[in-house]
Amino acid sequence: MIIMDIAATYFRQKVLITGGAGFIGSNLAHKLTALGADVTIVDNLDPDSGANLFNLNGIEKTIRFIQADINDESQMALAVKGQKFMFNLAGQTSHLGSMQNPFKDLNVNSVGQLRLLEVCRQNNPEISIVFAGTRQVYGRPKYLPVDENHLLTPLDNNGVSKRAGEMYHIVYNRVHGMTTCVLRMTNVYGPRMRIKDDLLTFIGWWFHQLLAGKDIQIFGDGRQVRDINYVDDVIHAMLLCAAHPSASGKIYNLGGAPINLLDLARLMIQVNGSGGYALVPFPENRKSIDIGDYYGDYSLIQKDVGWQPQVELEAGISNLLAFYRMYKEHYM
């Protein structure tokens, strides 16, 4: 297995991040800027997304920012030219939102991804692309842990559209020879995530409730199992896969140690030093698309590029809480 020097790989390289004002994209931009990369961000600042210009606080004068949609072919053609790497994080990530507005979900996650890949093929076919996929493509697991060979039976429109987006990336690798990789992400948490509502993640909303001095609202009996990744670990996976020759054309699961939601809430309360939780009935519109228990098998990415999660859950929660206590007014 090739051991990569991340710092040397990205120093002075031109890097494009779509969805770069969002949660994962902005953390990636901060990391790449610290590594000395030449970073360009594209984001349409959709109010329904995780985009927040404060996420770029401290690097706003260092990066290049383009407010544009990935469906805007002329803008994207200018953005992709000359770029060595592209981290493709632009997307509609709300599961409930995908059911309420399915055509917006389709336009961003499927049509937009195809348009963007065509722009890359025509203007910069040498660019190396990592696409942010989701474990939602699996639907309700038939077995645990879920590996990449698991049947794909998504329960919501978001899972369907994200599946189309990831397969477009694989097709462009196999047919056009472009360097692409897909990371199927699980529950990602950390600084700069959207916590003002429950539109995008249950974890973000839990932190909102905790910081506001309210009980964490847990749907159902709280025994649902999930795996959770701290954002720094996800960024490390992306940086490895964009440049590692073994990752080209691959689809990888990310993942972490499984934990049930009751234990997660209790740990958050413990780390916070105060708080409580309450079990509440599952809303029907969420129960119908809930996947039940899930945790992923990430042994393939571990074998190919040497990735595994490093940040312990307690440390990650502590880091997140410290960030939001300092910058609460920009996120609550």
Side-chain angles (χ1 to χ4, degrees), residues 1 252-253 298-309:
M1 183 175 65
Y252 293 124
N253 284 345
Y298 57 86
S299 59
L300 183 60
I301 190 173
Q302 189 172 24
K303 177 177 71 71
D304 281 2
V305 307
W307 179 86
Q308 62 182 21

Side-chain angles (χ1 to χ4, degrees), residues 51-52 54-55 192-198 203-214 272 320-321 323-332:
N52 183 340
F54 187 78
N55 284 342
R192 304 183 179 91
M193 72 188 302
R194 178 170 173 151
I195 66 167
K196 67 181 180 180
D197 52 35
D198 63 351
I203 300 176
W205 184 236
W206 279 17
F207 278 110
H208 177 106
Q209 292 169 327
L210 194 63
L211 289 162
K214 299 177 181 177
N272 187 54
L320 182 151
L321 288 169
F323 177 86
Y324 287 110
R325 287 191 189 108
M326 187 175 295
Y327 300 115
K328 186 187 295 188
E329 70 273 18
H330 299 287
Y331 295 93
M332 296 284 279

Side-chain angles (χ1 to χ4, degrees), residues 270-317:
Q270 176 190 320
V271 175
N272 187 54
S274 64
Y277 67 85
L279 300 178
V280 298
F282 236 117
E284 282 306 313
N285 61 347
R286 294 183 182 273
K287 186 176 183 179
S288 61
I289 60 174
D290 183 68
I291 62 168
D293 293 342
Y294 176 91
Y295 56 96
D297 179 345
Y298 57 86
S299 59
L300 183 60
I301 190 173
Q302 189 172 24
K303 177 177 71 71
D304 281 2
V305 307
W307 179 86
Q308 62 182 21
Q310 299 291 328
V311 181
E312 295 290 340
L313 190 51
E314 186 170 341
I317 291 170

Side-chain angles (χ1 to χ4, degrees), residues 10 12-16 37-40 81-85:
Y10 290 96
R12 291 185 176 173
Q13 294 293 340
K14 295 176 73 65
V15 182
L16 176 64
D38 180 358
V39 177
T40 299
K81 285 179 181 176
Q83 302 289 343
K84 175 73 172 176
F85 301 102

Side-chain angles (χ1 to χ4, degrees), residues 11 18 96 124 129 150 165 175 181-182 215 239 285 287 291:
F11 182 63
T18 68
L96 194 59
N124 186 1
I129 304 170
H150 190 284
V175 176
C181 176
V182 174
D215 283 349
L239 294 174
N285 61 347
K287 186 176 183 179
I291 62 168

Side-chain angles (χ1 to χ4, degrees), residues 7-51:
T9 299
Y10 290 96
F11 182 63
R12 291 185 176 173
Q13 294 293 340
K14 295 176 73 65
V15 182
L16 176 64
I17 306 171
T18 68
F23 164 40
I24 299 173
S26 62
N27 279 282
L28 177 60
H30 280 269
K31 176 66 175 179
L32 284 164
T33 300
L35 292 173
D38 180 358
V39 177
T40 299
I41 283 174
V42 171
D43 202 297
N44 68 356
L45 302 181
D46 182 349
D48 291 334
S49 74

Side-chain angles (χ1 to χ4, degrees), residues 111-125:
V111 177
Q113 299 304 327
L114 182 56
R115 282 204 175 103
L116 180 55
L117 285 164
E118 266 296 284
V119 165
C120 290
R121 185 182 68 83
Q122 294 169 8
N123 295 276
N124 186 1

